[in-house]
Amino acid sequence: MTTEVRVQPVPPATLPILSHWIGGRPVEVPPEQTGPIYNPATGQVIARVPRAGAPEVDAAVAAAKAAYPAWRDMPLIARSQFFFAFRELMWRQRKELAELITRHHGKTFPDAFAEVTRGIETVEFACGLPVHLAGLNTPNVATAVDTFTLRGPLGVTAAITPFNFPAMVPLWIYPIAMACGNTMVLKPSSHTPGATQLQAELWKEAGLPDGVFNVVYGGREAVTALVEHPDVRAIQFVGSTAVGRYVYEEGTRRGKRVGSFTSAKNAMVVLPDADMEMTADAAVASGYGSAGERCMAQTLLIAVGDAAERLRPLILERIAKLRVGPGMEPGMDMGPIYTAEHRASVIRWIDRGEAEGAELVVDGRPFVHPTNPEGFFLGVSLFDHVTPDMEIYREEIFGPVLGIVRAATYDEALGLVNGHKYANGTAIFTTDGGAARRFKLEVEVPMIGVNVPIPVPAGYLSFGGAKESALGDLAMRGEDGIRFFTQQKMVTERWPEPGRRSTLSLVFPGNS
């Protein structure tokens, strides 16, 4: 198969130009310092986005650093009022945010709308964060000595976020960082910037003090500048393993707190007793939703016993009914791939799967949308008889490609999941409560679904992977997010009492 990249020529820079957001205001750049934004449904350039380098990152960090002391010292309840206001603005404009996501990413509008609402969940959690920042107080740990803990912010923090969830993933990170008293520099993907731009404007409308929230767009140079900047105290990253490993290793080497959430290759285990109709729905929804561009997609289906023979025809029935087209058109199940380059990459993965000997049951490569032939569309693909020695089993494709793996027993299926280098999310489909219980206890993956294909926890719970799917000790969001973005201090204090004099002692202090 050929993998020609179909990209329209970039027109003159007369298109709308987005801007960085630094110190509470938009920072514009000349057209020659911008790159194109495509509508993946048409292949046309619809706007331009700035490319930040070290100077722009320096300016954003300086603004965040200047805003930090006042933000840190603001009473918690006063700080939380900005989050209540922001939440209301986000809810009011959730449809506009979803439309921006669909226009820049390509996912269907209902999918984008669901993304926005799931992101707002974490803003709601941040609204109530004052109660979670309370410490512990232990009086009289020794004679007239009290001990208590404090959770204080770190300073300037950063988030580097991916193209596939331009609203939800940033909203999983920066509200918690800011509610804890930190200031933020967000570097989102330059492919899908519209939703980020609107969020910055909504923070301004909510009255957030200038400099608390800053946005810089860009690529490698912007990432490097954030990682190397001495005033950035902590970074959370979501994206590819190669970049995430660089951010983690270089950031921690420079003394920063870093959490990198990287690639995945999720597998759902199907036992022979599973409800096959429900399982087929789950497999198709998880594998092909958002064109497979989800880190929690179940891209491998490990079928135990005769489950594959019974499940495969049900999956084929559903594939035959899928509607692929522009995400804003009603009734579409799947939109385009987000860029022409990534479309070509997914095609190369399908080529490789064929060469490795997997059975290509459904081939999505020939698909061309009838009225949008220049769009970055790709049909869905289904492989069967995928085996662990194949690259399409081992590596993340990040496209609408689902693979069936066959296992003889539950233990073999569990071994396949636990033996994989990635460990982000997994699921088991069964009507046997005992088998499900065993799976929950024995599987070495932190996010688990039982008859749930995409086990993304609610916004007040933590989200994170293991093995090569995450680098760092703490997950994002929830209690782990609070721990990540705060420094716990242990205070031991004694106040002199009237009429009592302390005596000199060189003995190591005890608790009596």
Side-chain angles (χ1 to χ4, degrees), residues 420-435:
H420 208 287
K421 66 179 179 179
Y422 294 124
N424 201 45
T426 188
I428 186 169
F429 281 76
T430 180
T431 56
D432 185 337

Side-chain angles (χ1 to χ4, degrees), residues 43 65 69 72 83 90 100 135 162 208 227 247 255 260 300 322 330 345 354 356 381 385 392 440 473 489 502:
K65 185 177 181 181
R72 173 198 60 202
F83 291 85
M90 286 282 288
L100 287 166
L208 186 75
V227 170
V247 172
S260 282
L300 294 175
L322 292 179
S345 171
E354 270 196 308
E356 290 178 320
S381 294
H385 300 285
I392 62 166
K440 289 182 289 184
D473 296 328
K489 302 176 182 179
S502 61

Side-chain angles (χ1 to χ4, degrees), residues 354-407:
E354 270 196 308
E356 290 178 320
E359 179 190 357
L360 184 57
V361 184
V362 179
D363 185 357
R365 292 172 295 184
F367 179 85
V368 176
H369 193 270
T371 59
N372 293 276
E374 301 302 328
F376 310 144
F377 290 100
L378 188 64
V380 304
S381 294
L382 175 67
F383 280 107
D384 196 357
H385 300 285
V386 176
T387 58
D389 60 322
M390 297 177 181
E391 275 196 273
I392 62 166
Y393 173 92
R394 296 192 300 268
E395 299 298 337
E396 184 175 51
I397 297 173
F398 224 61
V401 182
L402 179 63
I404 298 175
V405 182
R406 296 172 181 244

Side-chain angles (χ1 to χ4, degrees), residues 21-83:
W21 190 269
I22 299 174
R25 63 182 181 86
V27 176
E28 298 178 356
V29 299
E32 60 269 18
Q33 294 179 21
T34 67
I37 302 169
Y38 291 90
N39 180 341
T42 64
Q44 299 294 322
V45 178
I46 56 174
R48 299 188 68 80
V49 65
R51 303 291 193 187
E56 291 81 10
V57 170
D58 286 344
V61 173
K65 185 177 181 181
Y68 172 66
W71 183 246
R72 173 198 60 202
D73 296 339
M74 183 179 291
L76 292 177
I77 297 301
R79 196 189 295 159
S80 69
Q81 296 308 308
F82 297 108
F83 291 85

Side-chain angles (χ1 to χ4, degrees), residues 496-512:
E497 297 181 17
R500 292 188 62 177
R501 244 191 98 193
S502 61
T503 58
L504 175 65
S505 174
L506 302 189
V507 176
F508 186 80
N511 293 325
S512 61

Side-chain angles (χ1 to χ4, degrees), residues 193-360:
T196 306
Q197 195 82 8
L198 181 53
Q199 288 171 66
E201 294 167 3
L202 294 182
W203 276 117
K204 184 72 172 180
E205 188 176 347
L208 186 75
D210 294 345
V212 173
F213 179 72
N214 306 274
V215 179
V216 291
Y217 300 102
R220 182 191 301 269
E221 189 177 349
V223 171
T224 300
L226 283 169
V227 170
E228 295 183 354
H229 202 292
D231 290 331
V232 174
R233 298 290 306 279
I235 303 173
Q236 283 197 343
F237 168 90
V238 181
S240 71
T241 296
V243 179
R245 188 170 295 282
Y246 160 77
V247 172
Y248 180 78
E249 292 177 352
E250 189 63 24
T252 53
R253 190 178 72 82
R254 293 170 181 270
K256 304 180 193 305
R257 187 173 294 178
V258 182
S260 282
F261 305 93
T262 53
S263 300
K265 190 71 177 182
N266 307 316
M268 55 185 278
V269 173
V270 182
L271 299 187
D273 68 295
D275 180 328
M276 292 299 168
E277 295 283 348
M278 180 178 71
T279 303
D281 288 340
V284 171
S286 175
Y288 302 130
S290 195
E293 294 172 341
R294 295 173 179 158
C295 69
M296 288 293 285
Q298 302 290 349
T299 56
L300 294 175
L301 193 161
I302 302 177
V304 177
D306 67 348
E309 297 300 334
R310 294 156 54 207
L311 191 58
R312 175 168 150 172
L314 298 176
I315 291 175
L316 290 175
E317 285 178 16
R318 286 153 176 80
I319 288 176
K321 298 174 184 177
L322 292 179
R323 296 183 64 192
V324 180
M328 290 305 298
E329 289 188 6
M332 291 299 110
D333 297 298
M334 193 181 90
I337 305 298
Y338 85 106
T339 65
E341 292 80 8
H342 189 58
R343 179 184 180 278
S345 171
V346 175
I347 289 173
R348 287 193 295 272
W349 276 111
I350 299 169
D351 294 343
R352 187 171 300 149
E354 270 196 308
E356 290 178 320
E359 179 190 357
L360 184 57

